[in-house]
Amino acid sequence: MKRDTSKSTEAPFAAFPEDRRREAMARLAVLQPTLEEEVPLARVAAEAGVPLRTAQRWLARYR
């Protein structure tokens, strides 16, 4: 069953305060090698000094 994303309850990215946008962009920078180059998430997390579980949560929220 497909999920209806047209009625999302999350605020648009532009509506976030500046500090939250900065934080989101920093997290995306950590995830980018996994998203664009298929680098294993475990390696990306280790290189960034982020616990793997945290990186998994960020990736799930991104997707």
Side-chain angles (χ1 to χ4, degrees):
M1 176 181 265
K2 286 186 115 179
R3 188 173 138 199
D4 181 11
T5 57
S6 63
K7 297 178 185 174
S8 177
T9 58
E10 293 187 30
F13 187 72
F16 287 3
E18 182 62 30
D19 60 330
R20 297 241 356 245
R21 279 196 302 264
R22 229 184 338 263
E23 180 181 53
M25 293 305 294
R27 291 175 178 184
L28 179 58
V30 170
L31 297 175
Q32 235 166 352
T34 296
L35 295 167
E36 296 178 358
E37 302 165 22
E38 299 183 18
V39 175
L41 186 59
R43 183 180 345 154
V44 168
E47 289 174 357
V50 174
L52 177 58
R53 183 63 187 122
T54 297
Q56 289 170 332
R57 283 189 199 105
W58 294 351
L59 185 58
R61 288 179 185 162
Y62 174 80
R63 288 187 172 152

